[in-house]
Amino acid sequence: MSEPVKKVAQQAESRLDRIAKSAQEQFNKITEGRFTDRIKEGRFADQLDHGVDQGRADARRDQGRAADARRNQGRADVRRDQQRERRGGSAA
């Protein structure tokens, strides 16, 4: 190969090396700050649970209370009917 061709090849190789290094740096920058990595590292462990998760927990708790209230009301209805029957009154 002639000298000018070798020089062009070396310049192209140097340019490709710089591009590869730049691409690797950008890739590392993007992947090192991922949200899942932060969670795995425990960065959010000390924060209180607010927002969507807290709202879901509140909704489940409210649903449980409503179900308890319905069960208790049903039990009260049965007791009331039993007492009426014992007294000789109608169950309705």
Side-chain angles (χ1 to χ4, degrees):
M1 272 206 269
S2 65
E3 288 299 318
V5 174
K6 285 183 183 180
K7 186 176 180 181
V8 169
Q10 286 175 346
Q11 288 174 345
E13 186 177 354
S14 296
R15 179 182 284 173
L16 287 174
D17 287 339
R18 286 193 308 271
I19 291 171
K21 183 179 178 182
S22 174
Q24 184 65 42
E25 289 172 355
Q26 289 177 359
F27 178 80
N28 290 339
K29 182 180 176 184
I30 290 170
T31 59
E32 76 183 19
R34 293 183 58 189
F35 186 70
T36 54
D37 293 336
R38 291 180 183 173
I39 292 172
K40 288 176 186 175
E41 293 170 2
R43 291 187 185 183
F44 300 106
D46 60 341
Q47 294 182 0
L48 296 175
D49 187 19
H50 292 294
V52 174
D53 292 337
Q54 186 66 36
R56 288 180 183 154
D58 290 344
R60 282 192 297 269
R61 186 174 45 251
D62 292 343
Q63 288 173 349
R65 288 179 182 160
D68 289 343
R70 286 190 299 272
R71 276 192 297 274
N72 291 337
Q73 183 61 46
R75 291 177 189 141
D77 291 343
V78 168
R79 279 191 302 264
R80 186 173 47 252
D81 291 345
Q82 290 171 344
Q83 290 172 353
R84 285 182 183 159
E85 287 178 11
R86 275 184 262 163
R87 286 183 275 168
S90 69

